[in-house]
Amino acid sequence: MVKRKTGDKLGDIRRATIAEVVECRSSAASVIAIAKRAGLAVGTVYRYYENKEQLLRAVYLAVKTELHNAMMTAAAEASGSKAKIRSMWFAVLARHKGLI
């Protein structure tokens, strides 16, 4: 396994976690598989997260927060209910493309 000394380790872990949960469901996802997807040692993941539950919760909350912020920003920039909803919808779709 290639271990990176630089880069966005938290981002790599997050992307790997999302991909693993999408593919295997959260109950079947493992820290070992997530670390492998991220190209990191398992110990590196545990350096940032105490356990699998904390990792899944942190990634879920980060994704949820980013989607909420994207929707609220889009809504604030539009006028009228129809335009706000349309802007929010497209913001979610655009953000979704960047999650995996």
Side-chain angles (χ1 to χ4, degrees):
M1 173 183 341
V2 176
K3 296 179 186 174
R4 297 180 213 147
K5 293 187 179 187
T6 60
D8 181 16
K9 289 180 184 172
L10 284 174
D12 293 340
I13 293 168
R14 176 183 163 175
R15 286 184 290 279
T17 301
I18 292 168
E20 187 70 14
V21 168
V22 166
E23 186 175 309
C24 303
R25 298 182 341 263
S26 61
S27 60
S30 72
V31 175
I32 293 169
I34 291 167
K36 186 175 180 180
R37 278 184 191 263
L40 300 168
V42 175
T44 302
V45 176
Y46 283 116
R47 191 175 301 159
Y48 294 101
Y49 302 99
E50 188 174 317
N51 54 45
K52 178 181 137 179
E53 290 299 318
Q54 186 187 44
L55 168 61
L56 294 176
R57 182 178 181 84
V59 170
Y60 167 77
L61 290 174
V63 169
K64 184 177 173 182
T65 299
E66 287 182 14
L67 286 172
H68 172 78
N69 291 342
M71 289 174 62
M72 295 301 104
T73 299
E77 295 170 356
S79 60
S81 297
K82 185 176 179 179
K84 286 183 184 292
I85 291 169
R86 180 179 170 83
S87 294
M88 290 167 66
W89 176 250
F90 284 113
V92 167
L93 293 176
R95 187 69 202 137
H96 173 71
K97 290 171 78 175
L99 291 177
I100 298 176

